[in-house]
Amino acid sequence: MTSKAMALFLEFCKIPHASFHTEEMCMWLKDYAARHHLHVQEDNAKNLLLSKGLPRLCLQAHYDMVLVGQKVEPIEKDGFLCSIDSSLGADNGAALCAALCAFDSVENLELLITNDEEVGMLGTNALELRPKSKAMLNLDSEDLDEIIVGCAGGADVTFTFANLPLLQLEENLCVYEISTCGFHGGHSGIDIDKGHENAIVALAQFIQGLDDVYPISISGGTKRNAIAANAQARVLARGGLPQNEHFAVKQIIQNPPYRDCRKVLSFLTLPLLQGVQKKGALGVELSCNVGIIQDEGDVHIQAMARGNDTYELLAFIEKLHKASEGFGAEFGQSHFYPAWEREQGGRLLDITQHAFMSQQQNPTITTIHAGLECGILRNKLELDEILSIGPTIHNPHSKSERLELASFARFESILLEILKNY
């Protein structure tokens, strides 16, 4: 039997809410609040604060999603909910819908819903709303076996290759287009150590392994915080090129001039630009991911650096800056947010652990290598305590995203148990 929260999430999926395109979802949420007689506040960043009674605990989630594909079309398969040919948006829509339904079961509660979280915590950084509660439960983690007490900080970094030289070739060469096939992508933080190859970097490596080939353009990726699942490049070569299950080749017509992109490909294959940079006792502590490369005359690369220690992250960003200078690329940085330092624990953690155990769950208390809003919110709102939990979601930020339905049912019960006892 479909729960009220799951039914609401299926309705939620029908409303467009990709980051930067959340207007309809914002209206839908305000309409939902009005129909359920909830008090609503809204700020200039389109963050919403829903409340009733005299709350002592604030739930928190975001309502934008990373849309990979064109349209969310949920389908149930083998105990999971996924989308036919897109990301699902269970990150963070599923837990948000459970939080909305929780208002029906408790008398005193508030819910902070932030906007444009997936594109650099924009809503959180611009937050003007002030919840009454001094304790907050974030619902944006993606493993029900864990209670999250800390997370990575991050920053968007860009590299621009301008005024690339033209190739000066004495012979006539054929132009070939190489496209990637079968790359699945993934979340640039929690999937960075799972062996998900980056299509952009893999394509650059493939071309560099070919003899007498001159790259003249490269592009790919769709989201700066997702491991790229697609890429295309054009090259000059004397004859036919090899292809395999991951790289398709076809000859095309393109007239000169041809720009020399060999320096771009060499930069893309630097080890510090893609993958895990440091591991510790709790897992990945420092990483970088190439999310997007655009060829618009100048070549623009968008990457994301993450670090569970703010000072190590800043030092790594400076290392990226110096590397780009060595290749003659223009460097840029934006949307920096610090790491959320590990919580020491308090009443909310005790109650949350008890709620998990009431559902025969024995959670791990841990930190994650992904960006959550908790660190920013803890400082900005001067909270006493903040934690993060969520249902199990596999491969967020990709077309392979899927929500484990059994975990979602347990998550709903755990959430209500926390609210009953806090």
Side-chain angles (χ1 to χ4, degrees):
M1 180 178 177
T2 301
S3 70
K4 184 184 295 185
M6 178 52 65
L8 186 63
F9 178 57
L10 294 175
E11 181 182 345
F12 184 95
C13 289
K14 298 176 184 178
I15 314 298
H17 57 287
S19 301
F20 294 132
H21 302 283
T22 58
E23 296 82 3
E24 288 185 58
M25 182 58 76
C26 185
M27 292 298 298
W28 184 88
L29 288 165
K30 289 189 288 186
D31 181 64
Y32 179 93
R35 287 187 282 111
H36 289 78
H37 309 292
L38 305 176
H39 182 251
V40 182
Q41 298 176 60
E42 179 181 358
D43 65 16
N44 290 323
K46 300 297 181 182
N47 299 308
L48 301 174
L49 181 61
L50 280 52
S51 61
K52 64 183 287 192
L54 300 172
R56 298 172 60 199
L57 178 63
C58 182
L59 304 181
Q60 190 267 320
H62 65 87
Y63 67 92
D64 64 308
M65 70 170 288
V66 173
L67 179 60
V68 180
Q70 299 299 315
K71 180 182 179 182
V72 179
E73 298 181 83
I75 184 172
E76 185 176 338
K77 183 178 180 182
D78 300 327
F80 292 90
L81 190 72
C82 54
S83 184
I84 291 175
D85 189 33
S86 75
S87 50
L88 177 63
D91 170 16
N92 187 212
L96 172 55
C97 288
L100 290 170
C101 290
F103 279 105
D104 296 336
S105 302
V106 295
E107 294 301 318
N108 304 295
L109 182 63
E110 56 188 347
L111 169 62
L112 176 63
I113 316 174
T114 52
N115 185 28
D116 287 337
E117 186 268 353
E118 298 286 14
V119 284
M121 314 276 185
L122 300 188
T124 308
N125 280 307
L127 183 69
E128 300 168 339
L129 305 171
R130 289 295 179 269
K132 296 178 181 178
S133 307
K134 301 306 289 183
M136 181 173 284
L137 186 63
N138 169 279
L139 306 177
D140 194 20
S141 62
E142 289 151 359
D143 188 339
L144 192 61
D145 292 326
E146 298 176 339
I147 298 173
I148 305 303
V149 294
C151 78
D156 294 342
V157 289
T158 60
F159 313 95
T160 300
F161 287 83
N163 303 314
L164 289 169
L166 299 180
L167 283 167
Q168 302 297 327
L169 300 172
E170 297 180 358
E171 57 184 310
N172 293 323
L173 301 176
C174 299
V175 181
Y176 293 90
E177 185 172 81
I178 308 173
S179 302
T180 60
C181 316
F183 290 84
H184 298 291
H187 189 289
S188 66
I190 60 176
D191 291 330
I192 200 69
D193 63 339
K194 293 183 171 61
H196 296 235
E197 276 197 281
N198 187 302
I200 295 170
V201 176
L203 179 57
Q205 292 170 335
F206 175 73
I207 294 171
Q208 286 195 314
L210 301 175
D211 294 328
D212 299 322
V213 167
Y214 302 90
I216 58 176
S217 72
I218 183 168
S219 60
T222 56
K223 306 293 178 182
R224 104 271 187 255
N225 57 355
I227 299 171
N230 62 82
Q232 307 81 38
R234 291 184 176 184
V235 302
L236 297 177
R238 291 183 177 84
L241 298 179
Q243 56 185 327
N244 56 42
E245 70 273 18
H246 292 303
F247 303 102
V249 178
K250 65 178 180 181
Q251 187 174 349
I252 62 170
I253 301 298
Q254 179 179 330
N255 296 320
Y258 305 121
R259 289 171 306 131
D260 186 352
C261 288
R262 285 177 292 183
K263 184 166 61 173
V264 177
L265 268 63
S266 295
F267 181 69
L268 286 170
T269 56
L270 288 178
L272 84 165
L273 208 64
Q274 179 62 43
V276 176
Q277 305 298 315
K278 180 183 177 183
K279 270 194 171 184
L282 295 177
V284 181
E285 295 182 353
L286 190 67
S287 72
C288 191
N289 172 73
V290 178
I292 303 172
I293 183 167
Q294 296 170 307
D295 193 337
E296 301 169 336
D298 295 339
V299 177
H300 304 278
I301 300 170
Q302 297 181 43
M304 188 170 188
R306 298 180 187 267
N308 285 66
D309 180 282
T310 299
Y311 295 104
E312 283 191 343
L313 175 60
L314 289 168
F316 178 67
I317 292 170
E318 182 58 27
K319 189 176 179 180
L320 289 170
H321 186 182
K322 290 181 178 179
S324 67
E325 286 181 338
F327 280 78
E330 179 183 337
F331 177 83
Q333 177 197 317
S334 61
H335 302 147
F336 177 85
Y337 57 94
W340 168 28
E341 304 295 341
R342 187 181 177 97
E343 294 279 332
Q344 298 305 306
R347 181 166 179 259
L348 178 57
L349 179 57
D350 292 341
I351 289 173
T352 301
Q353 285 183 283
H354 182 272
F356 270 77
M357 291 175 182
S358 72
Q359 296 295 313
Q360 287 73 53
Q361 294 269 136
N362 186 21
T364 301
I365 313 299
T366 190
T367 62
I368 59 170
H369 192 67
L372 297 172
E373 299 163 289
C374 302
I376 301 170
L377 292 170
R378 198 190 205 295
N379 294 332
K380 180 170 284 195
L381 301 177
E382 299 180 333
L383 299 171
D384 294 333
E385 191 176 7
I386 185 168
L387 306 174
S388 180
I389 63 172
T392 299
I393 302 170
H394 299 273
N395 304 317
H397 301 186
S398 76
K399 291 185 178 182
S400 301
E401 181 183 0
R402 54 196 179 124
L403 170 66
E404 187 179 288
L405 293 174
S407 82
F408 184 68
R410 291 197 302 274
F411 169 77
E412 290 182 78
S413 299
I414 289 168
L415 180 60
L416 292 177
E417 185 74 11
I418 294 169
L419 296 175
K420 182 179 74 174
N421 288 298
Y422 195 86

